[in-house]
């Protein structure tokens, strides 16, 4: 059976016995067409199964109804919540969201930003993976508005929305230090990620505030921010001769992986080792040992980012002024951490 060809606006006009301009008016300016003609053309459209090209319409109008969202890892529930917040705001404005995943890879980021430019998206929400900023500078040349998400970006010629990760890292370490822990580990992620750098900086800041040397915090680096990398870090933790009494992880997925490794090895949490994560994803509270975590307001993050972009690309765009919004994290204490016995 031959493949059915796409029905175009000329086919509708031919079958309906009207001009292409009349069909166009029915679709875009129905008030300019008499009711009998409008009804007749609409019946033909329904019978032929015509679907107008939204992309072509957007090109004629000079703007798109699609907002692009590029995140570091869609396998992380934190970014799922960011996407939900962005989608909620965009849908309220009659726009759709195209979600893409850079997998923390600068080359993937560059390819997606090129795609956004080719598709002429209305604007983009971007969590950068490239520490050099080259991909963003290249993207900027296309004149497409964008908002940097989950990273403080005061040097960018655009808006940004982030959580104060330095403050968040400090919250985690203050909690552990106040519990008497002096042998500490930081399970970090890819060192080029600004979020990881800031959380480490906050942890070291908390040690300095307490008058403690930075050498108390041993770093166990990972090349990813997922559960498997956390399990690997947990195995390395178990191999240390001077095992720390507390661990701060750069995100909850790493913390859950560490928790799995310790549980499998018969190490008690928090009796033997306390664990603190970061993000406070839904699974943190549902873990075998509910996880203490630094909460980020992910939904709010995504919503504010989209709202800033909508203002910059809306009818009052000329009045828009770039903003750099910084949200505050919150420590949520659960069973995975406790103070040392005196």
């Amino acid at each position: 059976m031959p493949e059915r060809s796409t029905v175009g606006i000329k086919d509708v006009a031919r079958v309906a016995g009207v001009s292409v301009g009349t069909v166009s008016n029915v679709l875009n300016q129905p008030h300019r067409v008499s009711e009998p003609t409008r009804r007749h053309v609409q019946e033909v459209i329904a019978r032929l199964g015509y679907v107008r090209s939204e992309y072509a319409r957007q090109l004629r109008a000079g703007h798109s109804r699609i907002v692009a969202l590029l995140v570091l890892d869609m396998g992380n529930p934190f970014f799922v919540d960011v996407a939900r917040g962005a989608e909620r705001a965009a849908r309220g404005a009659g726009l759709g969201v195209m979600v893409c995943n850079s997998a923390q890879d600068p080359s993937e980021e560059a390819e997606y930003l090129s795609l956004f430019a080719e598709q002429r998206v209305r604007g983009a929400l971007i969590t950068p993976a490239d520490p050099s900023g080259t991909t963003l500078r290249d993207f900027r040349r296309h004149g497409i508005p964008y908002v940097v998400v989950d990273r403080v970006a005061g040097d960018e010629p655009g808006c940004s929305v982030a959580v104060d990760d330095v403050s968040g890292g400090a919250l985690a370490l203050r909690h552990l230090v106040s519990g008497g822990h002096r042998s500490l580990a930081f399970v970090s992620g890819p060192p080029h990620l600004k979020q990881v750098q800031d959380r480490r900086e906050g942890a070291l800041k908390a040690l300095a505030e307490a008058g403690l040397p930075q050498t108390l915090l041993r770093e166990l680096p990972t090349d990813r921010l997922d559960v498997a990398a956390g399990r690997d870090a947990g195995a390395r933790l178990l191999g240390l001769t001077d095992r720390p009494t507390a661990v701060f992880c750069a995100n909850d997925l790493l913390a859950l992986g560490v928790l799995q490794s310790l549980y499998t090895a018969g190490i008690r949490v928090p009796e033997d080792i306390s664990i603190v994560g970061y993000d406070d994803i839904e699974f943190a509270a549902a873990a075998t040992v509910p996880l203490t975590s630094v909460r980020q307001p992910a939904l709010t993050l995504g919503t504010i980012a989209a709202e800033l972009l909508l203002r910059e690309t809306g009818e009052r765009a000329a009045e828009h002024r770039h903003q750099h919004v910084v949200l505050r994290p919150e420590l949520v204490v659960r069973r995975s951490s406790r103070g040392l016995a005196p």
Side-chain angles (χ1 to χ4, degrees), residues 108-142:
E108 290 282 337
E109 174 181 287
E111 290 184 15
Y112 275 122
L113 293 183
S114 293
L115 175 65
F116 298 165
E118 290 172 8
Q119 295 298 314
R120 302 186 190 182
V121 297
R122 185 187 190 97
L125 308 173
I126 304 166
T127 303
D130 179 11
S132 72
T134 301
T135 56
L136 275 183
R137 285 194 295 272
D138 290 344
F139 183 65
R140 197 179 302 147
R141 295 180 304 179
H142 298 288

Side-chain angles (χ1 to χ4, degrees), residues 275-293:
I275 302 177
V276 176
Y278 204 104
D279 288 339
D280 194 35
I281 61 176
E282 183 178 356
F283 300 124
T288 304
V289 180
L291 189 65
T292 295
S293 184

Side-chain angles (χ1 to χ4, degrees), residues 171-191:
L171 282 174
L173 257 290
R174 286 192 196 110
H175 169 65
L176 294 173
V177 167
S178 67
H181 294 280
R182 296 295 182 270
S183 180
L184 304 150
F186 176 49
V187 177
S188 61

